[in-house]
Amino acid sequence: MVRFVYPAKLYQHAEDEIVVSFRDVPHCHTSGEDVAEALVEAADALEEAIAGCIVDGDEIPTPSPPLPGERLIAVHADTAAKAALAVAFRASGLTQADLARRLGVDDKVVRGMLDPRHGTPVSRVNDALQVLGQELVLEVREVSVPAKLAASVPGS
């Protein structure tokens, strides 16, 4: 099971800048003027990094457990679904044409499913995952309200 939720370290860089880095995604860094803004920017930067891995055919980093003081940042649901499909597809050894035949769709449909910027319905991504022996599971968890987060920065 893969969850596309990555630990992030926040630290005070300047009086008005909170920097965010991901140890599992070393090329992904961002910042904000306060913790709330930094967390929003972190989610966007993480999504772009994972989408870039999908597009470039790079390995999608596996999230590690958080260390004390780290915050968990989730990849947006649509991108996480596409990342899960990309991982399963690469592991399958199938071609896009093979997957298209198994799904009973045109090759263009599969190309869209593997494109993180293409608006593919999540149900269709799940259908492809099931053909590859996987299943998409949605998890909802409670998060803190950003205003409450701005009170302190761990590790600063």
Side-chain angles (χ1 to χ4, degrees), residues 27-123:
H27 58 281
C28 185
H29 304 277
T30 191
S31 65
E33 289 184 9
D34 56 28
V35 173
E37 181 181 307
L39 291 173
V40 168
E41 294 297 328
D44 288 343
L46 182 60
E47 178 173 8
E48 289 301 319
I50 299 302
C53 290
I54 296 168
V55 168
D56 296 340
D58 295 338
E59 184 176 332
I60 297 169
T62 302
S64 50
L67 297 174
E70 290 181 324
R71 303 280 180 109
L72 290 174
I73 308 292
V75 175
H76 295 143
D78 292 342
T79 303
K82 297 268 186 145
L85 179 57
V87 169
F89 175 69
R90 290 174 191 160
S92 76
L94 296 174
T95 66
Q96 289 184 12
D98 293 334
L99 182 57
R101 273 191 297 282
R102 290 183 184 195
L103 289 167
V105 298
D106 190 83
D107 293 7
K108 288 183 242 176
V109 173
V110 171
R111 276 197 306 274
M113 283 191 245
L114 293 167
D115 178 350
R117 300 294 173 234
H118 184 268
T120 307
V122 173
S123 60

Side-chain angles (χ1 to χ4, degrees), residues 1-56:
M1 174 170 46
V2 177
R3 289 189 173 132
F4 294 96
V5 181
Y6 293 82
K9 180 169 178 53
L10 282 69
Y11 62 93
Q12 190 85 38
H13 179 70
E15 184 177 321
D16 61 348
E17 183 181 29
I18 306 292
V19 174
V20 183
S21 62
F22 297 89
R23 62 187 154 83
D24 297 321
V25 191
H27 58 281
C28 185
H29 304 277
T30 191
S31 65
E33 289 184 9
D34 56 28
V35 173
E37 181 181 307
L39 291 173
V40 168
E41 294 297 328
D44 288 343
L46 182 60
E47 178 173 8
E48 289 301 319
I50 299 302
C53 290
I54 296 168
V55 168
D56 296 340

